[in-house]
Structures are given as structure tokens and as C-alpha cells.
Amino acid sequence: MRILSGIQPTGSIHIGSYSGAISQWKELQQIGECIFFIADLHALTVPQEPDTFSKQVLNTAAELLAAGMDPEKCIIFIQSEIKEHTELSWYLNTITPLGELTRMTQFKEKSQQFKNNINAGLLTYPILQAADILLYQTDSVPVGKDQKQHLELAKIIARKFNQKYGKVFKVPEALLLETGAKIMALNNPKKKMSKSSPAGCLYLFDEPDIIRKKVMSAVTDPGKSIKYDPVKKPGIANLLTVYSLFAGKPISQIEKKFGKKGYAEFKKSLADLLILKLEPYRRKKKELQTREVYVREILTQGRKRAEIIAQTTIKDVRKKMGLI
Ligand code: AMP
Ligand code: TRP
């Protein structure tokens, strides 16, 4: 089974992206042929600082390794280093209906958020994502819930190409967790925890005092009881989800433990748990920050391995489309 997924180098990894995507990647690398990459081309659709961008990409690579990605068990590379992604993206542009792109939620949200920079890349973003996936004949794509719509479109594009030109692509499936596919912001439990709103994020590499401060001041709901009710108590439901994921216990068990104990005690226990569970990631990241040559070498090896698969698919695509 071939598994592929990507992450944008737009900020530090937070417990949302860890829970929705990376925790799945860690498990899947034990059982499948895994390919993970840093989606630097996707990140260019919103403003980036050229002077620091390459540092950010390397930082994301170090964070992935610190979070538990094992270069012995998976391929890790930088998207822009394999030219076939942009090449395939263009071919797929020519068969993707415009209407599919304009209805994408992420396009609508980002064009609201970046009103002064509604570039064509924001619109065609999901086509590049489809290219990322289809280039590697991917079976499964482990992602958070926000990516579900893009995955549906990748399937539509794969089927359309296969119908029009003959079978080249595998039709991929999204892999979504039942619990943890959408972690909400700590300062607003009605909004997704997102790198574009740092105030609501708890980062995987936050220091203990920061973790405690963020958890203790997380927005909760009126009332007192610790009960999982995402509609009436979205703040507590979100914190229960996080607790459950990091404790490795079902939500019902945690509800029972804290049922009548009050928010402060529950939050204090969650802060203690996170400080403990995130310690190895903090330590590993500090170590990797001093080993840039090693990180770069992993990315080079990853590129070489991924390139072989990408080139094979592109050859087939060009032939099927009648390109010389
Ligand atoms: P990004 O950091 O936006 O490139 O996202 C990387 C991966 O993390 C994608 O698979 C997202 O769906 C997932 N992800 C991002 N934010 C969250 C969140 N708040 N909850 C769950 N998954 C998330
Ligand atoms: N769009 C994804 C995100 O923002 C990142 C991404 C790019 C991706 N290409 C991909 C995820 C291919 C899965 C497969 O999170």
C-alpha cells in the first residue's frame, strides 16, 4: 500500500496538524510504503518572506523528524525539488472544470483572508495537490478534515484523466481519523486550530510554561461539568479530544475521571499531561536544530528516491496525452 501526504512550511507544527495528520503518518510508516513531503509550492500562494523561506522549509523538515518521522521507513522530500509536480499540475489544469475550483471552501476562506492577494495559485491550489498525489500512484492520503474536499477533487481529476486518455492513475482515498481530524483553536473553539492564527495554537515544541499558560487560558464554556458535547460545549469537547489523544484513552473514560471536578482541575491535569508527552519532541527538535547537514542529506536522499517514481508516471502521462 502506498501512502502519501504533505505539510506546508508555513509555521511550526501544532497539536492540530500533529493529531489530524502526523500521528497517522507515524503509525503508517510502520506498515506501508510512505512518502511525505514539504509543500513549499503550496505555501507560495500566500505571502512568504524570500529571505527566510528556505530556513522555514528546513525547520519543517527538522520538526517532522523530531515529531517521529523515520527516514529509514519513509521518503521525505521537498516538493519544489521534483519538477514533475508542476509539470503534472499543468496537464491536470487542462482537464479540471473551473467550477470545481471556485466552490472549494479553502479558496473562499483564503480569498477572504488575503483580500489584496487573490492570485490564481489560490484557485488552482487543489490541482497541484492532485498532481502531488497522482504522481506517486498513491493508495491512501492521511490528512485532517480540512483537506477532505481537496481529496474528493483529486479523485474526480484522476477518474477524468483515466477516462479521457486511458488508465494512468490510481484513484486515491483520504484517510481521516475518527477522533482528532479537526482540533479547534484554544482561543476560539468554533474555529480550526490553524497556523494562520497563531494565538489559538499550541505548538508541539512549546516550552512547559507556555503550554501551561495556553491550556489554563483556553476558552471554555458556561457551566461546570466535563462533558463531551461539541455543540453546547465546544471548548470542553475540544480539550477532551486533545486529552484523549495524548493520554491514549477513550473520551468516556476521561469524562468519568473529571465529571464533577471542575474546569480548573481538568485543565491543570491536561497541562501536566501535555508537558510530559511533548517533552521528547522538544528535546529532539533542539538536537536536530544543530544538525542541518544531516537534515539536508535526508531530503536529498528522499528526493532521489521519489524522483524515480515521479519520472515513471510523467513518462506515461506524456505518452497518453500525445506529447512528443
Ligand atoms: P498544514 O499545516 O495546513 O499544511 O496541514 C498539515 C496537515 O495537518 C493536513 O493534513 C491538515 O489537514 C492537518 N491539520 C491542520 N490543522 C489541523 C487541525 N486543526 N486539526 C486536525 N488536522 C489539522
Ligand atoms: N494542502 C495540504 C495542507 O494544507 C498540504 C498538501 C499539499 C497535501 N499537497 C498534498 C496533503 C498532497 C496531502 C496530499 O494541509
Side-chain angles (χ1 to χ4, degrees):
M1 179 161 82
R2 188 169 283 157
I3 292 140
L4 172 138
S5 197
I7 182 165
Q8 296 190 67
T10 44
S12 205
I13 293 173
H14 53 65
I15 58 167
S17 39
Y18 179 81
S19 121
I22 294 161
S23 68
Q24 294 200 73
W25 303 4
K26 277 169 74 172
E27 291 196 4
L28 291 163
Q29 67 181 346
Q30 311 295 342
I31 54 171
E33 187 192 346
C34 286
I35 305 178
F36 301 119
F37 64 93
I38 298 164
D40 55 345
L41 296 172
H42 278 108
L44 292 177
T45 55
V46 298
Q48 301 297 341
E49 187 53 62
D51 290 340
T52 50
F53 194 48
S54 63
K55 275 230 150 37
Q56 253 173 258
V57 170
L58 289 174
N59 184 59
T60 301
E63 289 195 353
L64 284 177
L65 296 171
M69 306 317 300
D70 179 353
E72 303 279 315
K73 298 208 169 81
C74 62
I75 295 177
I76 305 175
F77 70 92
I78 301 170
Q79 182 189 32
S80 68
E81 290 201 314
I82 299 187
K83 306 283 183 255
E84 283 75 9
H85 288 246
T86 38
E87 183 178 350
L88 181 58
S89 174
W90 179 255
Y91 303 150
L92 300 181
N93 256 275
T94 65
I95 60 159
T96 306
L98 193 57
E100 293 286 353
L101 299 173
T102 46
R103 69 180 186 85
M104 291 285 127
T105 309
Q106 184 179 297
F107 169 67
K108 289 183 197 159
E109 282 176 2
K110 289 219 171 144
S111 21
Q112 273 295 315
Q113 198 183 346
F114 298 95
K115 279 205 176 88
N116 299 327
N117 182 21
I118 308 182
N119 60 83
L122 272 185
L123 181 69
T124 57
Y125 179 112
I127 306 183
L128 178 60
Q129 184 161 349
D132 297 336
I133 298 166
L134 303 182
L135 200 49
Y136 297 93
Q137 308 295 350
T138 304
D139 295 289
S140 303
V141 187
V143 281
K145 202 170 173 186
D146 60 334
Q147 296 302 312
K148 197 170 168 216
Q149 211 182 20
H150 291 162
L151 262 293
E152 291 303 320
L153 181 56
K155 287 166 76 164
I156 292 173
I157 294 175
R159 288 202 191 97
K160 191 149 184 204
F161 186 99
N162 287 346
Q163 245 165 30
K164 186 163 178 180
Y165 292 108
K167 181 159 189 324
V168 174
F169 299 125
K170 249 194 195 157
V171 180
E173 287 300 331
L175 276 182
L176 295 172
L177 288 181
E178 256 175 53
T179 304
K182 190 174 185 184
I183 298 295
M184 311 311 273
L186 293 184
N187 62 352
N188 180 0
K190 295 205 169 113
K191 268 183 58 193
K192 180 187 76 157
M193 185 178 288
S194 158
K195 288 189 280 199
S196 57
S197 306
C201 292
L202 181 73
Y203 297 103
L204 208 57
F205 308 98
D206 273 342
E207 294 293 337
D209 53 330
I210 305 280
I211 298 177
R212 193 169 300 283
K213 216 184 262 166
K214 286 184 179 175
V215 172
M216 295 312 288
S217 59
V219 171
T220 43
D221 324 286
K224 282 192 192 128
S225 57
I226 309 293
K227 222 175 141 354
Y228 185 79
D229 185 340
V231 178
K232 287 199 196 127
K233 292 168 105 36
I236 287 296
N238 190 42
L239 297 182
L240 273 168
T241 304
V242 173
Y243 202 118
S244 151
L245 288 164
F246 283 92
K249 291 184 181 148
I251 288 177
S252 56
Q253 204 173 320
I254 300 151
E255 277 177 330
K256 235 184 242 156
K257 183 170 170 192
F258 292 99
K260 295 201 172 59
K261 285 201 174 142
Y263 291 172
E265 195 167 339
F266 170 60
K267 281 177 160 181
K268 187 174 171 304
S269 174
L270 176 58
D272 289 341
L273 174 74
L274 287 169
I275 289 168
L276 184 76
K277 293 285 178 174
L278 300 183
E279 192 276 333
Y281 304 132
R282 285 195 295 279
R283 188 165 23 91
K284 193 86 201 285
K285 186 179 169 193
K286 281 180 193 147
E287 180 205 321
L288 285 164
Q289 274 171 328
T290 62
R291 299 180 65 197
E292 192 182 310
V293 177
Y294 167 74
V295 174
R296 278 184 188 266
E297 181 55 26
I298 287 169
L299 295 168
T300 304
Q301 292 308 324
R303 171 180 61 73
K304 287 184 182 157
R305 290 168 65 196
E307 220 163 39
I308 299 169
I309 309 169
Q311 284 166 356
T312 309
T313 305
I314 273 289
K315 238 191 216 160
D316 197 12
V317 169
R318 290 180 56 99
K319 193 163 151 226
K320 291 274 197 316
M321 294 185 92
L323 293 157
I324 285 181

